[in-house]
Amino acid sequence: MQGSAASVRRSTAAGSENMFEQAILAVEDQPVFGEVQQALERVFAPADVGKFLRRVDRARLRVRNFEGILKLGLLGEKTPSQYEALGNSDRGQVREQYLRLVEQVAPELRAKYLKVYAYY
């Protein structure tokens, strides 16, 4: 991707349409970023995601409340301090990954834990 523009204008035979590309950002602190990524992958592993959602429910949090979940240590004991050690762009990438994983949870579990997925 050239420049810093995140949007790309592309012409098609039927006309023109706007398409958006997510900017690719280099990770500033790869070792710490990798540890936080691994913590997220462990929590969202198919065998463990139900336990995680149960803990979120017991804490009376919404699953998209990343900061609250992080502060309570629901993503791992060391994860809050590791996350705080990251730069802003790395933190943003972690939040985006977390939210992607939240949306990829199996529909049966999302239905079972509808309360933690609700937007109210």
Side-chain angles (χ1 to χ4, degrees):
M1 182 165 87
Q2 298 243 359
S4 63
S7 66
V8 175
R9 192 164 208 50
R10 179 185 291 176
S11 295
T12 64
S16 65
E17 64 183 57
N18 286 326
M19 295 185 67
F20 295 94
E21 287 183 22
Q22 183 171 353
I24 298 172
L25 302 173
V27 174
E28 296 171 5
D29 189 346
Q30 188 60 51
V32 176
F33 184 85
E35 289 179 32
V36 173
Q37 238 181 351
Q38 287 176 351
L40 293 179
E41 289 169 7
R42 277 192 302 272
V43 167
F44 284 97
D48 295 324
V49 69
K51 296 173 201 168
F52 168 68
L53 293 173
R54 190 172 331 119
R55 292 176 67 202
V56 172
D57 187 36
R58 287 182 182 158
R60 299 184 190 272
L61 293 171
R62 300 286 179 253
V63 74
R64 292 176 188 87
N65 180 355
F66 176 74
E67 301 292 335
I69 288 169
L70 183 69
K71 285 179 185 175
L72 286 180
L74 300 181
L75 298 174
E77 194 174 297
K78 295 189 291 181
T79 307
S81 60
Q82 291 170 328
Y83 177 78
E84 290 298 319
L86 294 173
N88 287 335
S89 67
D90 289 354
R91 288 183 192 180
Q93 290 184 66
V94 168
R95 284 190 302 271
E96 285 183 23
Q97 180 187 12
Y98 173 81
L99 292 173
R100 256 192 317 277
L101 290 169
V102 162
E103 297 305 321
Q104 292 173 356
V105 170
E108 314 82 59
L109 280 174
R110 290 180 67 152
K112 182 176 179 179
Y113 293 99
L114 183 61
K115 189 170 143 186
V116 300
Y117 271 89
Y119 279 103
Y120 53 83

